[in-house]
Amino acid sequence: PTPTPSWSATIVEANILKVAGKSNPHALAGALAKRLREGELVRMVSIGPLSVNQAAKSIAIARTYLEEEGLDLIVRPEFIHIPGKQADQPQRSALRFNVMPVSSTMASAANQQPADPLDGAQLKVAGGSSPALVAGAISKRVRDGKRCYVVGMGAESVNQAVKAVAIARTYLEDDMLDVEFQPKFIHLDQDHDNKSALELSLFIKNV
């Protein structure tokens, strides 16, 4: 069986994946799945909406690669600061996806959430949505022990959705709670057109 690392595990350089706006999601998914099969905690670093979108899509694709092997993954997003390339350049804010391998059965058992999607609220995030406001809505449901799903369509929307989850994690620290997510592709009917979107299924954790 694939060993499950600690969230605080020391990360080797090979397990840090830097994602660009033009990165190929399928290639990234393959690289991510390979490391997860080896039981490694992987950190994906993204700067900007296009990069965040490609990272999120690659994680969703990697889940399909791992599925046949009885494996899955869980994600904890957070903000980090990256030093400028030159000494006189300011730091840049980035999103880091901390991706943990888990067995499919372990994921189901650990996520102790209602299986019926109708039991949870679907929060649709637009490109112009405030991540802080969405994070507040997420935090309220988490404190109430209720499930929710965050949905984004397009790079700007997915970027705001992932930011909202990262911010919600900070809002919940004093409550000794945390949230993780698993992304997957869904289809939404918009203006009589079936469009692809990314859904982040959120799971509550006691710290």
Side-chain angles (χ1 to χ4, degrees), residues 2-3 5 10 12 15 35-42 99-101:
T2 300
T10 301
V12 297
N15 288 336
R35 289 162 174 79
L36 294 175
R37 288 187 191 102
E38 295 168 354
E40 302 290 347
L41 172 63
V42 181
V99 189
M100 171 84 78

Side-chain angles (χ1 to χ4, degrees), residues 165-177:
V165 179
I167 294 170
R169 294 186 65 215
T170 67
Y171 288 173
L172 294 165
E173 286 177 354
D174 290 341
D175 300 284
M176 301 299 289
L177 294 170

Side-chain angles (χ1 to χ4, degrees), residues 77-95:
E78 64 181 340
F79 292 101
I80 61 170
H81 295 287
I82 297 177
K85 294 182 179 179
Q86 304 295 331
D88 58 345
Q89 291 181 332
Q91 290 184 334
R92 295 173 295 167
S93 179
L95 267 169

